[in-house]
Amino acid sequence: MRRNAFIAGASLLVGAVVVWPTSAAEAATIRYEAEVAPATCDGTIDSNHAGFSGSGFCNGRNATGAAAQFTVNVPVAGTVTVGVRFANGTTSARPATVIVNGSTVQSTSFEVTGAWTSWTTKTLTVPVGTGNNTIRFNPTSSGGLPNLDYIEVTDGPPPQQGPELYVAPNGDDANPGSLSQPLRTVQRAVDLAPAGTTILLRGGTYAPSTNIQLLKSGTASQPITIRNYNGERAIIDGENMPHTPAPVDGSIPRPERGAVHIEGEHWRLIGLEIINGPYGVFGLDTSGNVFERLVTRDNYESGLHLQGASSNNQVINLDSFGNRDPRNNGESADGLAIKEGSGGGNVVRGARLWNNSDDGFDAWEFLSPILIENSLAWGNGFNRWGIPNYSGDGNGFKLGGGDEDL
């Protein structure tokens, strides 16, 4: 039995060499890591908080003016979108000015993220010239900057701000979905949401009797987002759904898998807790999604499961634990599974996968590369539920590849 904790450190590549897809029809995005010259950091390059990209992050001095600077190259002068990935584990926001090529272009503030291991991305729009440009983040308070992981620079117009819909456990599906008159069910918000919408869940528990179906799609520039509102704890509880649990040797029809079931593309699920479902999140033939700061726990199958033709998905800072499958004697409930399919560009960063009945991470029969960085798995494969004829494997990270015809 393989029951030891496993850490995926700087990176673990499952399957083959990663090739990032490009398309002439899409704006170009280039990542600039804070620890890679010519970037500069008025502080230290550290690696003690999980979830960062590359080999480290900029931990600036706690001082006004202790700046971080990036040098970026763009082909044509104009406006670019800058995504700044950061973590702020303090209790107050950290303000800064943004200086491009020596001129201050705007002020911004890096909000609290809850922990130094909780990374998020702030999107800014700045003017640049042709060729090399410096983008400098200059803190304006004694706390300094947050920890900075990288920036991503995208040329072309920034995405348009889409509409917002609010949902609350005490809302009403006849309401317009505003902050003062929220909807009651997540599915109603999903059904109303065009591409570019952000669905904000107020704190509390949502316990539908059927799973939430994400069958429509956003677009690369206008994804549909479901996230918790302003740091509140939003829980999707699948206990009232069918198959919680399914009987021993029973089967769960694919459309009913997952408290959240996704077959659409370009969704962002952020800051949600998903529990007691027939799978937590189940994705089939789905691509271009972001699963960020999710907690998937105590589900009756895997916490987060992607299958089939699924590509360019990002799983960021996932906590997945306590998932089990009585119907299969503990043999198939993983913390995170990307399996039985293919598709390039899938990335896992900062995942923590523990105390699941089968494996921490499972890529069984997935035929394409998966990049895993700064992730941990431990305590998987033990029978904590008294499941009879227990057969959980207990791998930390089960690698992929296999028979294309399976």
Side-chain angles (χ1 to χ4, degrees):
M1 304 295 285
R2 295 169 291 281
R3 302 286 173 83
N4 295 324
F6 189 98
I7 301 174
S11 64
L12 172 65
L13 180 60
V14 179
V17 176
V18 170
V19 178
W20 297 105
T22 59
S23 171
E26 298 178 356
T29 298
I30 301 176
R31 177 176 299 179
Y32 298 89
E33 297 279 358
E35 72 276 15
V36 177
T40 62
C41 172
D42 187 355
T44 57
I45 300 298
D46 293 344
S47 58
N48 57 323
H49 297 303
F52 59 87
S53 171
S55 60
F57 54 84
C58 173
N59 177 9
R61 294 187 299 113
N62 298 124
T64 301
Q69 180 171 294
F70 298 82
T71 300
V72 307
N73 185 277
V74 296
V76 180
T79 299
V80 297
T81 302
V82 180
V84 187
R85 191 163 190 262
F86 72 95
N88 181 1
T90 69
T91 57
S92 59
R94 295 195 165 185
T97 55
V98 183
I99 302 171
V100 178
N101 298 328
S103 298
T104 299
V105 297
Q106 63 179 275
S107 298
T108 190
S109 183
F110 295 98
E111 65 270 20
V112 172
T113 61
W116 291 113
T117 54
S118 293
W119 300 88
T120 192
T121 298
K122 175 175 287 294
T123 301
L124 308 172
T125 303
V126 301
V128 292
T130 301
N132 286 335
N133 298 261
T134 59
I135 301 177
R136 186 176 183 87
F137 301 95
N138 190 59
T140 56
S141 71
S142 60
L145 292 171
N147 289 343
L148 295 184
D149 186 11
Y150 60 74
I151 65 171
E152 287 187 332
V153 178
T154 304
D155 58 20
Q160 299 177 358
Q161 181 66 42
E164 293 182 339
L165 290 170
Y166 292 83
V167 186
N170 62 350
D172 189 323
D173 278 351
N175 283 343
S178 63
L179 181 58
S180 60
Q181 294 181 289
L183 301 167
R184 182 178 180 84
T185 66
V186 180
Q187 188 65 60
R188 176 60 175 163
V190 168
D191 293 343
L192 291 173
T197 300
T198 297
I199 299 169
L200 295 135
L201 306 190
R202 299 302 306 268
T205 299
Y206 302 82
S209 58
T210 58
N211 64 358
I212 297 165
Q213 298 261 326
L214 311 182
L215 305 182
K216 64 172 64 173
S217 294
T219 68
S221 62
Q222 296 285 280
I224 304 174
T225 300
I226 306 177
R227 65 174 304 156
N228 61 325
Y229 171 76
N230 200 28
E232 296 178 0
R233 187 182 183 189
I235 300 171
I236 297 173
D237 187 344
E239 193 70 64
N240 294 330
M241 299 175 187
H243 320 292
T244 55
V248 175
D249 296 327
S251 177
I252 303 176
R254 279 192 175 179
E256 298 179 17
R257 295 181 185 182
V260 177
H261 180 94
I262 176 170
E263 295 187 33
E265 300 189 340
H266 300 297
W267 285 83
R268 295 172 60 90
L269 306 183
I270 302 173
L272 307 176
E273 191 168 344
I274 303 169
I275 67 175
N276 300 327
Y279 295 81
V281 178
F282 184 91
L284 178 65
D285 299 333
T286 183
S287 299
N289 305 296
V290 177
F291 306 94
E292 184 172 351
R293 288 185 289 113
L294 300 183
V295 175
T296 55
R297 64 171 176 85
D298 300 320
N299 293 287
Y300 294 98
E301 253 290 356
S302 294
L304 197 164
H305 182 113
L306 301 178
Q307 185 172 327
S310 296
S311 61
N312 298 316
N313 296 292
Q314 298 182 57
V315 180
I316 309 296
N317 294 334
L318 169 70
D319 278 356
S320 190
F321 59 94
N323 301 293
R324 76 285 193 199
D325 59 311
R327 71 186 183 107
N328 286 328
N329 307 106
E331 193 176 12
S332 64
D334 308 306
L336 168 63
I338 304 175
K339 62 193 295 186
E340 296 180 272
S342 62
N346 293 302
V347 176
V348 178
R349 290 193 177 99
R352 300 189 298 181
L353 315 167
W354 74 97
N355 293 2
N356 301 289
S357 69
D358 194 32
D359 302 317
F361 173 81
D362 189 351
W364 184 75
E365 291 290 338
F366 200 80
L367 305 179
S368 301
I370 303 167
L371 179 65
I372 304 173
E373 295 184 325
N374 305 308
S375 296
L376 302 93
W378 70 93
N380 300 287
F382 291 97
N383 189 359
R384 294 176 168 83
W385 306 270
I387 296 173
N389 302 314
Y390 192 76
S391 54
D393 290 338
N395 296 293
F397 289 78
K398 182 187 289 181
L399 305 188
D403 183 356
E404 294 185 15
D405 296 324
L406 182 67

